[in-house]
Amino acid sequence: MKIVVAKNYEELSLQAANKVADIVKSKQDVVLGLPTGSTPLGMYKDLIDMNKEGKLSFKDVTTFNLDEYESLPKEDENSYYRFMWDNFFSHIDIDRQRTNIPNGMASNVEEECKDYERRIEDVGGIDLMVLGIGNNGHIGFNEPSSYFAGATHRVKLHENTIEANSRFFGSLDKVPKHAVTMGIKSIMQCRSVMILASGKGKADAIKKALEGPITPELPASVLQLHRDLTVIVDEEAASLLEKR
Ligand code: GLP
């Protein structure tokens, strides 16, 4: 595990963007796993700048998003589909056909989950998975649980997550109760994983994830077992870490 403690959010974002840029430049037809949330926004901005300045092209890049709310139409302002197009894809030279986001509107969710896994397999797996972390230690929408979930699956969101994400929806009851997420197995199978966390609110989850017991009660703790994990945190998110 490599831990990078950035001075602040700007530096964290640039370090994360550089890591993505390095792999995009070094491998043809690279496959990226991408997160939503406020944390990766700075990284997406930096990657957009690199693309606009002609330093980086996404033409041959394939992407798989981690998760999507269930029952929100793509065009809903809170769908992760909208998030990705508004904050990243619309501003870069990516091929739409190469972008993948779970379909939260699928009539047969189980089939959609299987198909998502098949699509990942068909392109040879994910080279670099970028993750954020929930306050409760969730990754994607893999919530604290008594077991580690395997492949892409449907989840019931925890009250804690619904509350945390209600800031985007205006009220608690507008937040979907279910979502589709890549599972812990799907994440652990990625060749490299990079997790980002910023701010005091994430310090406890980061400490437990990196220095606590490996338990499905704190889903991100499983990343301690990944053979190529990079953690990029700012000073505040790193503040409770003993080993740094
Ligand atoms: C959501 C997403 C996660 C994300 C988390 C943290 O629940 N499903 O993938 O990591 O929020 O988001 P933020 O970066 O806004 O704190």
Side-chain angles (χ1 to χ4, degrees):
M1 178 192 319
K2 183 179 169 206
I3 304 182
V4 178
V5 182
K7 274 203 305 288
N8 50 35
Y9 180 69
E10 285 66 38
E11 196 191 305
L12 172 154
S13 302
L14 189 59
Q15 296 252 15
N18 283 337
K19 171 127 180 126
V20 172
D22 285 349
I23 196 163
V24 169
K25 285 181 200 158
S26 70
K27 191 176 175 206
Q28 264 235 297
D29 298 326
V30 77
V31 183
L32 300 177
L34 297 177
T36 52
S38 6
T39 313
L41 279 174
M43 174 190 80
Y44 288 138
K45 267 182 86 228
D46 290 341
L47 289 170
I48 292 168
D49 289 346
M50 292 176 196
N51 186 241
K52 290 213 179 345
E53 289 160 15
K55 294 180 187 152
L56 187 66
S57 171
F58 290 90
K59 261 192 6 249
D60 300 321
V61 174
T62 299
T63 63
F64 283 89
N65 262 81
L66 257 178
D67 48 12
E68 176 61 285
Y69 289 112
E70 187 176 279
S71 313
L72 275 194
K74 280 180 177 175
E75 54 286 349
D76 189 286
E77 59 176 358
N78 283 305
S79 78
Y80 284 169
Y81 178 93
R82 261 292 284 281
F83 177 98
M84 289 310 294
W85 281 93
D86 288 355
N87 294 299
F88 193 38
F89 296 153
S90 300
H91 310 282
I92 57 171
D93 62 345
I94 199 157
D95 175 356
R96 179 179 283 269
Q97 304 296 328
R98 288 181 181 253
T99 64
N100 298 275
I101 301 175
N103 178 7
M105 294 291 285
S107 50
N108 185 339
V109 184
E110 213 175 297
E111 198 36 59
E112 166 65 15
C113 295
K114 282 193 192 142
D115 183 56
Y116 205 66
E117 289 288 330
R118 262 194 303 268
R119 276 144 70 190
I120 296 175
E121 217 179 291
D122 286 350
V123 295
I126 294 176
D127 293 299
L128 174 65
M129 176 86 239
V130 185
L131 298 173
I133 185 169
N135 301 331
N136 63 3
H138 74 218
I139 44 178
F141 270 134
N142 291 280
E143 297 280 33
S145 153
S146 54
Y147 63 96
F148 285 119
T152 301
H153 62 291
R154 176 177 191 251
V155 278
K156 187 173 187 315
L157 300 179
H158 277 200
E159 286 307 318
N160 176 297
T161 300
I162 292 176
E163 198 184 316
N165 292 2
S166 65
R167 68 191 196 273
F168 301 110
F169 288 82
S171 80
L172 270 184
D173 48 306
K174 289 198 180 123
V175 187
K177 306 288 175 281
H178 293 89
V180 174
T181 183
M182 281 171 62
I184 295 297
K185 181 165 155 230
S186 342
I187 294 171
M188 290 302 278
Q189 279 174 335
C190 300
R191 285 182 275 281
S192 305
V193 174
M194 169 168 77
I195 185 161
L196 313 176
S198 165
K200 273 205 190 74
K202 296 290 169 71
D204 185 54
I206 281 292
K207 175 166 178 63
K208 288 179 177 150
L210 305 185
E211 295 178 348
I214 297 167
T215 162
E217 293 296 336
L218 202 296
S221 63
V222 76
L223 298 173
Q224 292 176 38
L225 299 175
H226 197 282
R227 62 198 153 100
D228 188 5
L229 174 69
T230 303
V231 182
I232 308 187
V233 281
D234 61 12
E235 288 285 352
E236 287 189 352
S239 57
L240 299 177
L241 288 178
E242 271 155 41
K243 308 172 216 147
R244 39 179 290 199

